[in-house]
Amino acid sequence: MSTVEKTDVVIVGSGFGGSIPAYHLAAGGAKVTVLERGPWLAANDFEHDYLLGSSYTRVFDFVVGDGMSVLGGNCVGGGSVVYFAAMPRAPKFVFERHGSIGRRMWPSAISRDALEPWYDRVDESLPVSTQDWNDVSYAGGLWAAACHHSGRTANPAPVAVDNAHCVNCNFMMAGCRFDAKRSLLTNYLPAALAHGAKIRPLHEVQRLERTEDGGYRVHFDTVDEEDYRIHTGSGVLEAKVVIIAAGAGATPVILQRSEATLGTMPHGVGRYFSGNGERLNTAIIDEDRVREVLGLSREDGPVYSANHIGKGPTVANWDKLDGSLPEYERYSLEQLYFPPGLGTILAQVPGGEEPRWFGAQKKEILNRWANWLTIFLMTEDDNEGVFGAPPPTGNAYRISQQMLGRGSLRYDPTPNTLHGWELADADCKAIIEKDGLAKVAPWTNDVVGAYTVHPLASCRIGDDAATSALHPNHELRNHPGIFVTDSASVPGALTVNPAMTVAALAERSIPGIVRALQDRGVDVKYGAPSPDGSITGRRAVSKLDLVAGN
């Protein structure tokens, strides 16, 4: 039998849920190996086009399910490489949500106040910038003006972007060539490498099994760098602790496939999936009305005509993030840039004849693509997603050489979820159509079902074993030594972009993982400073009861 490589910790995935533990555990003295399914690209590898085979298709994973499709990252750095870097903190009412189970979903130990110092750690580590109105894009400015005109408020969104280096190219969704976007490639990951962590790209984890001494074997396949359908080899790593952070669309699939060797999984594995209540609306702007009603002007060209100028989301309306409102009636409305491709396919003709996502009328509005304003709705859904039987390998049946797959997720929106979408759609329409500024319609669900770029909750934390897969410390129920620290662990929809909360929860999980490693004989400590050397957040966290994992 060939020698099996051993390490202290195997981390599956290198997004927020993987990179943050990789840094802290390596800095604390543990031997850490990160297995990442996607390629490892640097700034110079990110291309300014959306062609097949470019960085745009190489770093994404788009999985079509039954009623729900999921768009996520597929590269070293995970979702942080392709996200739009909006980093708001979740509202306080989110942590008190009952959702579909009729009682508090979140563990009793976690409230907004309890999570605040962990938010602070992330804030200083990336770091997160507070934008002013000089930083917002044309699209953000138009959305803000429309909100003001309709008697609503608007706010520049906090972002993980160095605005001094941002050139407003609007290609950040394909990876930032200028390192202006503070992806994990610019902070936690290089810090982890500096402390000896190993990162292995193009390694797709398939399943786990238990070793005789209580550790785990991690079985993986290596993937061709051009055609992800081709597996070029396989291997095994042994570790005392395994952290799964493959994303809410892949983490439960790995655990489901491991059931044959590990034994029964908790009921919550692959259930209670949330799409963060997401929905998109496209407004077709009337340039003349924008000039006349809003009084906007711009030299050398149309007043707006600016979908492709600037960066992703820069301005949000948070008027409905009000804890006094009933559940499923709270949401945010965020201006969002979406590049050609999926967005142009799914956008519907406002007021057109059914079906409205293709045909002569659609061709006509495509000619005005630069005049589109996309509004991103984040509502409260009912955690109604369920994963079916896992495919033989990976998280989906691969359809194309990159990006596209068919998955087992089933999603049938409940009346509660539909109610939230309807309210948010109506509010968006009231704002942007006032006095003829634009015509708006939601994206169609006829093609790929509902869709999310922020999948959550497929292996969520909680106090109740019947409705959560993980203990509040992120350890998998009945499987000690396996932790889930990615977006799959978030209990439900957040009504805002979730990256900041996913990262804060990952930070919060580290003391418990350190104790688990110490119990297994690993000489590891907790207490490394933030990757940039700052200590403010670390001092705040040290005041908490780390023994209790709060």
Side-chain angles (χ1 to χ4, degrees), residues 187-199:
N187 36 72
Y188 284 98
L189 280 175
L193 287 169
H195 286 281
K198 298 177 181 178
I199 301 174

Side-chain angles (χ1 to χ4, degrees), residues 84-89 123 127-137 139-141 143-144 153-163 172 182 311-318 321 332-336 376 378 495-497 500:
F84 281 130
M87 297 294 279
R89 304 183 184 199
D123 193 302
V128 175
S129 302
T130 301
Q131 300 190 110
D132 63 28
W133 291 109
N134 294 316
D135 298 317
V136 307
S137 63
W143 176 239
T153 67
N155 303 272
V159 293
V161 174
D162 182 348
N163 283 305
M172 65 191 302
R182 287 155 173 159
K311 42 184 170 283
T314 57
V315 174
N317 170 270
W318 292 324
L321 298 185
S332 61
L333 306 174
E334 184 177 83
Q335 154 270 326
L336 175 71
F376 189 33
M378 287 170 277
T495 67
V496 295
N497 314 75
M500 190 69 171

Side-chain angles (χ1 to χ4, degrees), residues 318-338:
W318 292 324
D319 290 348
K320 297 298 183 178
L321 298 185
D322 180 351
S324 67
L325 292 172
E327 198 167 355
Y328 307 105
E329 295 188 8
R330 303 172 297 203
Y331 51 83
S332 61
L333 306 174
E334 184 177 83
Q335 154 270 326
L336 175 71
Y337 166 76
F338 215 95

Side-chain angles (χ1 to χ4, degrees), residues 106 136 159 180 207 244-245 303 332 438 457 512:
W106 282 76
V136 307
V159 293
R207 62 183 177 89
I244 305 183
V303 173
S332 61

